[in-house]
Amino acid sequence: MSKRVIISGGGTGGHIYPAIAIANALKEIEPGIEILFVGALGKMEMEKVPRAGYNIIGLPIVGIKREISIDNLAFPMKLTRSLWKARSVIKDFKPDVAIGVGGFASGPLLMIASLLGIPTLIQEQNSYAGITNKLLAKRASRICVAYPGMEAFFPKEKIKVYGNPVRSDIVDVTSKRSEALAYFGFQEDRKTLFVMGGSLGAKSINESLNAGIADLVKAGYQVLWQTGKGFISTAQATVSALKSNSAKVFEFIYEMDLAYAVADVVVSRAGALSVSELCLAVKPTILIPFPFASEDHQTKNAMNLVEQDAAVFIKDSSAAEELIPGALTLLGDEKRQEELKINIKKLAKPTAAYDIAAEVLKLIK
């Protein structure tokens, strides 16, 4: 009889793509394994997971808004419905182990799984644990983390430090440079800046680039810009007005291996997945953390790199003044780029997905 695994969580690419990486690693190690994803209805995992080739079931769970909101009145009812739905899914699928990667759906699913005696594994991507994972930790069988020092949040004896699982196609992106240049229509002899704000976009980064992209193009650089959904029309208008093939804009980039391959310098938020991918892709990076992430965890993620001289740091509130000058300076300084590449490469954890998959399989009786 084939082994069965449920993977729950989502909400952002930072939760979804590590989950998919773990699933892919499990399939490689154990080809006959059956994997079911559980997400939150209306969230991006309901589209991204099927695109990766896996089945997903949605729960009606929502998060509690931190500000006073009438939407919070519906939370108890939606939580109750989600717990019942999670129980039904587990009873039908009969998993041998349940994995939670953070996000709304992982709470109800892992809670019910642990109450039913099913081994559970938590994968925490950030250097500051999320509230859902902190609540689930006491009942978890194993907790896989990306950063040292996580015993501040979790029982020490359950922790394994493996790094964050990322897509295997990001390993050795250098070999894909010619393919990437052709794909995006860029020239070999010009430096390229890749600007991304995570799967949902980044307001300060988008606005700063929108105001200064003409300066980058005028200086002879190429720009690959991933905006997220809310800013795409504004960015398209700005890039169109440049009348130049040196700037390309996308709402979302699925071919992230090619985006990294074409980039000489990257500007990014400091979400855990982005940071892990940048370490593996070995890219000189300017990090602009989202300051309103829970417990300011993106700043903590960024500082793990900055303290080892593996990235350049710009505060979100300073992006308008510092992003374009900072990008121009780094693009023009090959010696500094090499220093950053040497240091960021030391932090890469290329086997994380396989290490976590092996822990999952150990939990199956």
Side-chain angles (χ1 to χ4, degrees):
M1 186 175 171
S2 60
K3 294 168 181 168
R4 295 182 161 215
V5 175
I6 279 185
I7 304 178
S8 60
T12 68
H15 293 310
I16 297 163
Y17 291 113
I20 292 170
I22 294 168
N24 291 342
L26 284 166
K27 283 276 190 185
E28 280 191 51
I29 297 169
E30 190 91 16
I33 200 165
E34 293 184 47
I35 299 172
L36 176 67
F37 279 75
V38 174
L41 289 170
K43 294 296 181 181
M44 63 188 295
E45 59 264 28
M46 302 306 293
E47 183 257 324
K48 299 286 190 282
V49 168
R51 187 182 173 103
Y54 294 98
N55 293 327
I56 186 167
I57 293 173
L59 304 181
I61 188 67
V62 294
I64 297 179
K65 288 185 167 56
R66 298 192 175 208
E67 69 276 10
I68 296 172
S69 169
I70 196 167
D71 293 343
N72 286 338
L73 296 175
F75 176 77
M77 183 176 68
K78 290 190 174 183
L79 175 60
T80 302
R81 285 172 56 204
S82 295
L83 289 165
W84 278 107
K85 176 79 171 178
R87 186 177 186 277
S88 172
V89 169
I90 289 169
K91 289 284 190 182
D92 288 344
F93 187 68
K94 299 180 175 61
D96 298 296
V97 62
I99 304 168
V101 296
F104 301 148
S106 64
L109 195 287
L110 257 69
M111 178 60 70
I112 294 297
S114 64
L115 289 172
L116 292 173
I118 295 163
T120 61
L121 180 144
I122 291 171
Q123 198 270 316
E124 173 58 61
Q125 299 95 26
N126 290 293
S127 56
Y128 195 100
I131 188 167
T132 302
N133 283 347
K134 283 191 281 189
L135 291 170
L136 293 168
K138 285 183 182 178
R139 302 189 70 92
S141 311
R142 193 82 77 254
I143 303 168
C144 295
V145 302
Y147 297 97
M150 297 302 285
E151 56 272 11
F153 311 104
F154 302 131
K156 186 176 181 179
E157 67 277 6
K158 296 182 180 182
I159 294 174
K160 297 284 185 179
V161 184
Y162 287 139
N164 277 319
V166 300
R167 291 164 281 198
S168 58
D169 60 4
I170 289 168
V171 179
D172 190 28
V173 294
T174 306
S175 65
K176 301 180 182 180
R177 184 165 173 83
S178 295
E179 179 190 353
L181 287 164
Y183 182 85
F184 291 112
F186 284 141
Q187 297 176 29
E188 168 71 56
D189 60 350
R190 299 173 71 185
K191 295 278 188 187
T192 301
L193 178 71
F194 173 33
V195 182
M196 60 175 181
S199 54
L200 302 177
K203 186 173 184 287
S204 65
I205 293 176
N206 282 335
E207 289 178 350
S208 301
L209 186 60
N210 196 60
I213 192 170
D215 294 337
L216 290 160
V217 171
K218 189 176 178 182
Y221 298 115
Q222 300 172 137
V223 181
L224 177 61
W225 184 6
Q226 185 228 288
T227 65
K229 193 171 185 178
F231 206 81
I232 184 66
S233 57
T234 302
Q236 285 172 333
T238 298
V239 168
S240 177
L242 292 173
K243 293 183 168 56
S244 170
N245 288 325
S246 295
K248 306 290 169 69
V249 60
F250 296 84
E251 177 183 321
F252 190 85
I253 297 174
Y254 283 97
E255 301 79 7
M256 283 296 288
D257 56 329
L258 300 184
Y260 287 130
V262 84
D264 295 286
V265 172
V266 179
V267 174
S268 175
R269 286 298 198 199
L273 176 65
S274 297
V275 168
S276 296
E277 287 185 349
L278 289 161
C279 293
L280 205 58
V282 193
K283 292 296 165 179
T285 302
I286 298 171
L287 292 173
I288 306 177
F290 178 55
F292 304 110
S294 58
E295 309 297 341
D296 198 20
H297 70 253
Q298 284 206 9
T299 297
K300 295 178 176 71
N301 292 346
M303 294 314 295
N304 274 302
L305 270 67
V306 174
E307 287 165 3
Q308 298 177 71
D309 195 31
V312 176
F313 177 84
I314 294 177
K315 285 181 66 175
D316 186 82
S317 58
S318 303
E321 297 80 31
E322 296 180 17
L323 172 53
I324 299 303
L328 286 166
T329 299
L330 187 52
L331 283 161
D333 189 344
E334 291 195 2
K335 182 174 180 289
R336 181 65 177 137
Q337 290 173 35
E338 285 304 312
E339 290 171 353
L340 291 170
K341 285 164 75 171
I342 289 166
N343 293 334
I344 202 168
K345 187 176 184 178
K346 295 173 186 173
L347 305 177
K349 297 272 201 307
T351 63
Y354 298 95
D355 293 335
I356 294 167
E359 288 293 336
V360 172
L361 294 172
K362 283 180 197 172
L363 292 176
I364 296 177
K365 294 184 178 67

PDB file of all heavy atoms in Angstrom, residues 152-167:
ATOM      1  N   ALA A 152      13.933  29.391  20.792  1.00  0.00           N
ATOM      2  CA  ALA A 152      13.199  30.481  21.452  1.00  0.00           C
ATOM      3  C   ALA A 152      11.696  30.339  21.239  1.00  0.00           C
ATOM      4  O   ALA A 152      10.903  30.889  22.006  1.00  0.00           O
ATOM      5  CB  ALA A 152      13.683  31.831  20.908  1.00  0.00           C
ATOM      6  N   PHE A 153      11.302  29.591  20.197  1.00  0.00           N
ATOM      7  CA  PHE A 153       9.877  29.446  19.865  1.00  0.00           C
ATOM      8  C   PHE A 153       9.369  28.010  19.975  1.00  0.00           C
ATOM      9  O   PHE A 153       8.184  27.782  20.175  1.00  0.00           O
ATOM     10  CB  PHE A 153       9.622  29.922  18.426  1.00  0.00           C
ATOM     11  CG  PHE A 153      10.207  31.272  18.119  1.00  0.00           C
ATOM     12  CD1 PHE A 153      11.366  31.397  17.373  1.00  0.00           C
ATOM     13  CD2 PHE A 153       9.603  32.429  18.599  1.00  0.00           C
ATOM     14  CE1 PHE A 153      11.912  32.636  17.095  1.00  0.00           C
ATOM     15  CE2 PHE A 153      10.149  33.669  18.321  1.00  0.00           C
ATOM     16  CZ  PHE A 153      11.304  33.779  17.573  1.00  0.00           C
ATOM     17  N   PHE A 154      10.277  27.047  19.816  1.00  0.00           N
ATOM     18  CA  PHE A 154       9.870  25.648  19.705  1.00  0.00           C
ATOM     19  C   PHE A 154      10.650  24.773  20.690  1.00  0.00           C
ATOM     20  O   PHE A 154      11.763  25.128  21.083  1.00  0.00           O
ATOM     21  CB  PHE A 154      10.143  25.138  18.284  1.00  0.00           C
ATOM     22  CG  PHE A 154       9.458  25.893  17.188  1.00  0.00           C
ATOM     23  CD1 PHE A 154      10.170  26.333  16.079  1.00  0.00           C
ATOM     24  CD2 PHE A 154       8.100  26.164  17.240  1.00  0.00           C
ATOM     25  CE1 PHE A 154       9.553  27.019  15.055  1.00  0.00           C
ATOM     26  CE2 PHE A 154       7.459  26.851  16.219  1.00  0.00           C
ATOM     27  CZ  PHE A 154       8.192  27.280  15.130  1.00  0.00           C
ATOM     28  N   PRO A 155      10.078  23.601  21.057  1.00  0.00           N
ATOM     29  CA  PRO A 155      10.828  22.659  21.901  1.00  0.00           C
ATOM     30  C   PRO A 155      12.114  22.211  21.210  1.00  0.00           C
ATOM     31  O   PRO A 155      12.085  21.713  20.073  1.00  0.00           O
ATOM     32  CB  PRO A 155       9.850  21.482  22.058  1.00  0.00           C
ATOM     33  CG  PRO A 155       8.495  22.049  21.777  1.00  0.00           C
ATOM     34  CD  PRO A 155       8.704  23.131  20.762  1.00  0.00           C
ATOM     35  N   LYS A 156      13.223  22.374  21.884  1.00  0.00           N
ATOM     36  CA  LYS A 156      14.543  22.141  21.288  1.00  0.00           C
ATOM     37  C   LYS A 156      14.702  20.729  20.732  1.00  0.00           C
ATOM     38  O   LYS A 156      15.305  20.525  19.669  1.00  0.00           O
ATOM     39  CB  LYS A 156      15.627  22.427  22.339  1.00  0.00           C
ATOM     40  CG  LYS A 156      17.043  22.369  21.800  1.00  0.00           C
ATOM     41  CD  LYS A 156      18.054  22.751  22.887  1.00  0.00           C
ATOM     42  CE  LYS A 156      19.478  22.710  22.338  1.00  0.00           C
ATOM     43  NZ  LYS A 156      20.481  23.107  23.356  1.00  0.00           N
ATOM     44  N   GLU A 157      14.150  19.754  21.456  1.00  0.00           N
ATOM     45  CA  GLU A 157      14.359  18.353  21.064  1.00  0.00           C
ATOM     46  C   GLU A 157      13.632  17.979  19.764  1.00  0.00           C
ATOM     47  O   GLU A 157      13.931  16.945  19.156  1.00  0.00           O
ATOM     48  CB  GLU A 157      13.905  17.416  22.190  1.00  0.00           C
ATOM     49  CG  GLU A 157      12.405  17.392  22.478  1.00  0.00           C
ATOM     50  CD  GLU A 157      11.931  18.532  23.384  1.00  0.00           C
ATOM     51  OE1 GLU A 157      12.757  19.428  23.701  1.00  0.00           O
ATOM     52  OE2 GLU A 157      10.751  18.519  23.757  1.00  0.00           O
ATOM     53  N   LYS A 158      12.698  18.823  19.317  1.00  0.00           N
ATOM     54  CA  LYS A 158      11.952  18.525  18.082  1.00  0.00           C
ATOM     55  C   LYS A 158      12.541  19.209  16.848  1.00  0.00           C
ATOM     56  O   LYS A 158      12.122  18.945  15.726  1.00  0.00           O
ATOM     57  CB  LYS A 158      10.493  18.980  18.235  1.00  0.00           C
ATOM     58  CG  LYS A 158       9.714  18.241  19.304  1.00  0.00           C
ATOM     59  CD  LYS A 158       8.275  18.733  19.356  1.00  0.00           C
ATOM     60  CE  LYS A 158       7.475  18.007  20.425  1.00  0.00           C
ATOM     61  NZ  LYS A 158       6.061  18.440  20.454  1.00  0.00           N
ATOM     62  N   ILE A 159      13.515  20.096  17.047  1.00  0.00           N
ATOM     63  CA  ILE A 159      13.999  20.969  15.964  1.00  0.00           C
ATOM     64  C   ILE A 159      15.075  20.295  15.119  1.00  0.00           C
ATOM     65  O   ILE A 159      15.990  19.656  15.626  1.00  0.00           O
ATOM     66  CB  ILE A 159      14.563  22.286  16.548  1.00  0.00           C
ATOM     67  CG1 ILE A 159      13.438  23.102  17.199  1.00  0.00           C
ATOM     68  CG2 ILE A 159      15.261  23.105  15.465  1.00  0.00           C
ATOM     69  CD1 ILE A 159      13.943  24.343  17.919  1.00  0.00           C
ATOM     70  N   LYS A 160      14.944  20.473  13.800  1.00  0.00           N
ATOM     71  CA  LYS A 160      15.983  20.122  12.839  1.00  0.00           C
ATOM     72  C   LYS A 160      16.244  21.358  11.972  1.00  0.00           C
ATOM     73  O   LYS A 160      15.306  21.920  11.396  1.00  0.00           O
ATOM     74  CB  LYS A 160      15.540  18.958  11.935  1.00  0.00           C
ATOM     75  CG  LYS A 160      15.280  17.658  12.674  1.00  0.00           C
ATOM     76  CD  LYS A 160      16.569  16.968  13.061  1.00  0.00           C
ATOM     77  CE  LYS A 160      16.309  15.608  13.703  1.00  0.00           C
ATOM     78  NZ  LYS A 160      17.551  14.922  14.068  1.00  0.00           N
ATOM     79  N   VAL A 161      17.511  21.784  11.890  1.00  0.00           N
ATOM     80  CA  VAL A 161      17.860  22.978  11.100  1.00  0.00           C
ATOM     81  C   VAL A 161      18.327  22.528   9.715  1.00  0.00           C
ATOM     82  O   VAL A 161      19.440  22.016   9.557  1.00  0.00           O
ATOM     83  CB  VAL A 161      18.967  23.809  11.785  1.00  0.00           C
ATOM     84  CG1 VAL A 161      19.242  25.085  10.990  1.00  0.00           C
ATOM     85  CG2 VAL A 161      18.578  24.144  13.219  1.00  0.00           C
ATOM     86  N   TYR A 162      17.463  22.715   8.719  1.00  0.00           N
ATOM     87  CA  TYR A 162      17.770  22.241   7.370  1.00  0.00           C
ATOM     88  C   TYR A 162      17.799  23.351   6.320  1.00  0.00           C
ATOM     89  O   TYR A 162      18.186  23.106   5.184  1.00  0.00           O
ATOM     90  CB  TYR A 162      16.739  21.186   6.935  1.00  0.00           C
ATOM     91  CG  TYR A 162      16.896  19.853   7.615  1.00  0.00           C
ATOM     92  CD1 TYR A 162      15.782  19.136   8.038  1.00  0.00           C
ATOM     93  CD2 TYR A 162      18.161  19.296   7.811  1.00  0.00           C
ATOM     94  CE1 TYR A 162      15.922  17.889   8.652  1.00  0.00           C
ATOM     95  CE2 TYR A 162      18.309  18.061   8.427  1.00  0.00           C
ATOM     96  CZ  TYR A 162      17.174  17.360   8.843  1.00  0.00           C
ATOM     97  OH  TYR A 162      17.327  16.138   9.450  1.00  0.00           O
ATOM     98  N   GLY A 163      17.342  24.564   6.666  1.00  0.00           N
ATOM     99  CA  GLY A 163      17.190  25.593   5.643  1.00  0.00           C
ATOM    100  C   GLY A 163      15.818  25.495   5.002  1.00  0.00           C
ATOM    101  O   GLY A 163      14.996  24.640   5.360  1.00  0.00           O
ATOM    102  N   ASN A 164      15.565  26.372   4.050  1.00  0.00           N
ATOM    103  CA  ASN A 164      14.277  26.376   3.374  1.00  0.00           C
ATOM    104  C   ASN A 164      14.322  25.587   2.073  1.00  0.00           C
ATOM    105  O   ASN A 164      15.252  25.744   1.280  1.00  0.00           O
ATOM    106  CB  ASN A 164      13.842  27.818   3.055  1.00  0.00           C
ATOM    107  CG  ASN A 164      13.189  28.488   4.245  1.00  0.00           C
ATOM    108  OD1 ASN A 164      12.402  27.847   4.953  1.00  0.00           O
ATOM    109  ND2 ASN A 164      13.505  29.739   4.488  1.00  0.00           N
ATOM    110  N   PRO A 165      13.308  24.747   1.843  1.00  0.00           N
ATOM    111  CA  PRO A 165      13.260  24.008   0.575  1.00  0.00           C
ATOM    112  C   PRO A 165      12.896  24.942  -0.573  1.00  0.00           C
ATOM    113  O   PRO A 165      11.948  25.730  -0.470  1.00  0.00           O
ATOM    114  CB  PRO A 165      12.151  22.975   0.806  1.00  0.00           C
ATOM    115  CG  PRO A 165      11.287  23.561   1.879  1.00  0.00           C
ATOM    116  CD  PRO A 165      12.178  24.431   2.717  1.00  0.00           C
ATOM    117  N   VAL A 166      13.662  24.897  -1.639  1.00  0.00           N
ATOM    118  CA  VAL A 166      13.376  25.731  -2.808  1.00  0.00           C
ATOM    119  C   VAL A 166      13.354  24.852  -4.045  1.00  0.00           C
ATOM    120  O   VAL A 166      13.787  23.699  -4.030  1.00  0.00           O
ATOM    121  CB  VAL A 166      14.406  26.865  -2.988  1.00  0.00           C
ATOM    122  CG1 VAL A 166      14.426  27.778  -1.780  1.00  0.00           C
ATOM    123  CG2 VAL A 166      15.799  26.311  -3.241  1.00  0.00           C
ATOM    124  N   ARG A 167      12.857  25.417  -5.130  1.00  0.00           N
ATOM    125  CA  ARG A 167      12.754  24.680  -6.386  1.00  0.00           C
ATOM    126  C   ARG A 167      14.130  24.239  -6.873  1.00  0.00           C
ATOM    127  O   ARG A 167      15.064  25.037  -6.921  1.00  0.00           O
ATOM    128  CB  ARG A 167      12.073  25.565  -7.436  1.00  0.00           C
ATOM    129  CG  ARG A 167      10.605  25.808  -7.120  1.00  0.00           C
ATOM    130  CD  ARG A 167      10.047  26.959  -7.902  1.00  0.00           C
ATOM    131  NE  ARG A 167      10.427  28.247  -7.312  1.00  0.00           N
ATOM    132  CZ  ARG A 167       9.806  29.390  -7.576  1.00  0.00           C
ATOM    133  NH1 ARG A 167       8.792  29.411  -8.412  1.00  0.00           N
ATOM    134  NH2 ARG A 167      10.204  30.508  -7.018  1.00  0.00           N
TER     135      ARG A 167
END
